[in-house]
Amino acid sequence: MPRSRRPLHAALRAACLGLLLAHGPAWSGEATVPPACDCAVAAPTLGIEVLLEERLDLLRGKRVGLVTNATGVDRELRSDVDRFAERKEFTLVALFGPEHGVRGDVQAGDHVASARDAATGLPVHSLYGEHREPTPAMLDGIDVLVFDLQDVGTRFYTYPYTLAGVMRAAKRAGIPVVVADRPDPLGGVRIEGPVLDPALASFVGQFPIPVRHGMTLGELATLFNRAFGIGADLQVVTMQGWRRGDDPWRGALPWVPPSPNMPTPDTALVYPGMGLLEGTNVSEGRGTTRPFETVGAPWVDAQALAARLNAMDLPGVRFRPTWFTPTFSKHAGKACAGVQLHVTDPKTFRPVRTGVAVLKALHDQHPKDFAFLPGEPPFFDRLAGVGDLRAAIERGDTLEAIEARWQRELTAFDTLRRQHLLYPMP
């Protein structure tokens, strides 16, 4: 976006915001979103662009280690790796790959190997293999670490904890960390779902935050550093022009899949709720073209499930019966029946409530076939972050009763969250 056009877009956003705020958001146990606005959203200037254009003082004359992947691009889709490698003001000396690898070519949960980058010849250190944090040997000869990944706005995703591991390792080594911030694809306004019980901490949830946390990675880094005691030498390079509630991927920013099964912004929108199905024997749609929007199993009555869910009148979503055959993962090669979610209003859609509704419907409709995957603790509990959600579904508790158990911790988290926000609430 040419700089000369930014004031116009800023004025449009301000006008839209005025219309939105006129409706007056309300608090009902979760953060709220104003009604949708038809005004276009301008692309923000990403943290990585601000870093390279205005904050080179953080890198000048230094040997840089870069933690990134395929999402590490600017608005013109130029790779961080390529842009860093060509700069003369500093020296890029090493790359660090999270889950799915620097180039984003590794499937979920698969080992990411250390190697050399084919394009630059630089060493690539894996942070999703034998080590989840940089070792002293990996950090040898590095003066500063730059972290630039696109998050998905959901607690059970590994990138925030890769960030935490990088910050911990950097603190031990006396190396500063620079986080180049990117938007929360869920808008950064609502929070939803249970807050993690520390007893269930894992690499898909290390800190007591809710499933839908409503923060950018830069804000999470600040929260982890201050509230949860990491204490690294941290600098967050904030975006310019991003407002909470914006949806910059609707024609403003390119969407690069953060992982192979996160192909579109629509996937990220439903993921906080539908990702819970990974802890069950129901396919969450891996191996289809619409993962997490398509769910089912060989034994599901698709028509009855869609009718049951639509009768719940959940906000911002409708369900369509569907039939599919996953090419990999659960029920691979088997004909499955289920539903596809169609989000009709992203502003009112509540993904965690919807996910729990789907789980309840599957359990109640197919009590002999539906099952939570075994484990100690069950993987579902690690995803949910609490042990009582699984029990509540099995007991047949109402959605209202289930959500009521989250509210005290959710309200307390929102108070904590607001102390670490880098962009104001609408």
Side-chain angles (χ1 to χ4, degrees):
M1 180 72 62
R3 289 184 182 272
S4 61
R5 294 179 60 188
R6 286 179 189 160
L8 173 60
H9 286 287
L12 284 172
R13 288 196 303 270
C16 292
L17 188 61
L19 290 172
L20 296 178
L21 293 179
H23 292 273
W27 173 258
S28 60
E30 63 174 40
T32 60
V33 179
C37 175
D38 292 332
C39 304
V41 174
T45 303
L46 299 170
I48 198 67
E49 296 169 329
V50 177
L51 175 64
L52 291 177
E53 294 171 12
E54 302 179 18
R55 293 305 315 272
L56 275 175
D57 60 290
L58 297 172
L59 307 180
R60 186 171 283 111
K62 297 181 179 179
R63 297 165 296 181
V64 176
L66 177 61
V67 187
T68 193
N69 65 2
T71 66
V73 295
D74 61 18
R75 74 184 68 195
E76 296 177 5
L77 294 174
R78 294 178 294 179
S79 164
D80 288 357
V81 177
D82 297 337
R83 294 196 68 186
F84 274 49
E86 69 187 15
R87 297 302 290 246
K88 305 302 183 184
E89 299 92 341
F90 57 87
T91 304
L92 179 63
V93 296
L95 305 173
F96 294 82
E99 184 181 9
H100 311 296
V102 165
R103 299 298 182 180
D105 57 344
V106 182
Q107 268 295 345
D110 287 357
H111 177 89
V112 175
S114 294
R116 286 202 171 265
D117 181 59
T120 63
L122 291 170
V124 179
H125 301 300
S126 171
L127 299 181
Y128 198 78
E130 182 181 354
H131 303 285
R132 299 289 172 93
E133 299 182 1
T135 66
M138 293 177 188
L139 297 178
D140 186 38
I142 292 176
D143 300 317
V144 59
L145 284 165
V146 175
F147 191 101
D148 184 33
L149 296 172
Q150 177 59 59
D151 191 32
V152 300
T154 300
R155 185 188 65 226
F156 45 77
Y157 208 67
T158 59
Y159 295 169
Y161 315 112
T162 296
L163 171 57
V166 166
M167 291 165 58
R168 283 189 288 260
K171 183 189 178 190
R172 291 192 295 267
I175 297 172
V177 176
V178 176
V179 176
D181 211 7
R182 291 180 178 269
D184 173 2
L186 305 185
V189 180
R190 284 190 187 272
I191 60 175
E192 192 183 358
V195 172
L196 176 79
D197 177 351
L200 289 167
S202 70
F203 203 57
V204 292
Q206 289 184 1
F207 301 105
I209 63 177
V211 173
R212 182 181 183 178
H213 51 68
M215 303 181 80
T216 69
L217 265 185
E219 291 171 334
L220 284 175
T222 304
L223 176 71
F224 296 168
N225 210 40
R226 296 177 183 171
F228 301 140
I230 293 180
D233 181 355
L234 173 69
Q235 176 73 52
V236 177
V237 179
T238 56
M239 297 171 281
Q240 295 176 358
W242 183 70
R243 294 177 182 267
R244 312 192 90 86
D246 280 358
D247 188 0
W249 283 283
R250 305 302 176 189
L253 276 182
W255 175 263
V256 177
S259 54
N261 294 290
M262 195 65 59
T264 73
D266 294 333
T267 324
L269 181 60
V270 304
Y271 182 67
M274 304 313 293
L276 293 169
L277 273 77
E278 295 189 72
T280 75
N281 64 345
V282 177
S283 169
E284 66 278 1
R286 294 183 189 273
T288 76
T289 58
R290 304 298 288 192
F292 301 104
E293 296 173 74
T294 299
V295 300
W299 34 263
V300 169
D301 182 334
Q303 298 279 8
L305 181 62
R308 178 187 287 259
L309 288 166
N310 284 326
M312 294 182 184
D313 199 25
L314 296 164
V317 65
R318 296 290 292 172
F319 298 87
R320 179 182 64 84
T322 190
W323 293 262
F324 60 97
T325 302
T327 58
F328 64 90
S329 195
K330 293 178 197 167
H331 308 303
K334 296 180 181 178
C336 293
V339 294
Q340 181 179 351
L341 283 72
H342 293 264
V343 177
T344 57
D345 184 354
K347 295 294 186 181
T348 62
F349 176 62
R350 294 168 60 185
V352 179
R353 181 181 178 88
T354 300
V356 174
V358 171
L359 288 162
K360 279 180 53 61
L362 285 163
H363 172 272
D364 296 348
Q365 185 171 302
H366 299 283
K368 294 182 180 179
D369 298 302
F370 175 85
F372 294 99
L373 298 179
E376 190 52 49
F379 185 52
F380 180 86
D381 291 4
R382 292 202 184 278
L383 293 170
V386 292
D388 60 3
L389 177 55
R390 176 171 48 89
I393 292 169
E394 292 175 333
R395 282 196 306 267
D397 290 5
T398 65
L399 281 175
E400 291 72 20
I402 290 172
E403 288 183 310
R405 295 190 185 93
W406 306 337
Q407 298 314 312
R408 179 180 297 179
E409 291 82 4
L410 201 59
T411 302
F413 172 79
D414 192 55
T415 299
L416 177 65
R417 173 181 78 131
R418 288 170 185 259
Q419 298 170 19
H420 298 88
L421 297 183
L422 304 174
Y423 314 88
M425 292 289 287

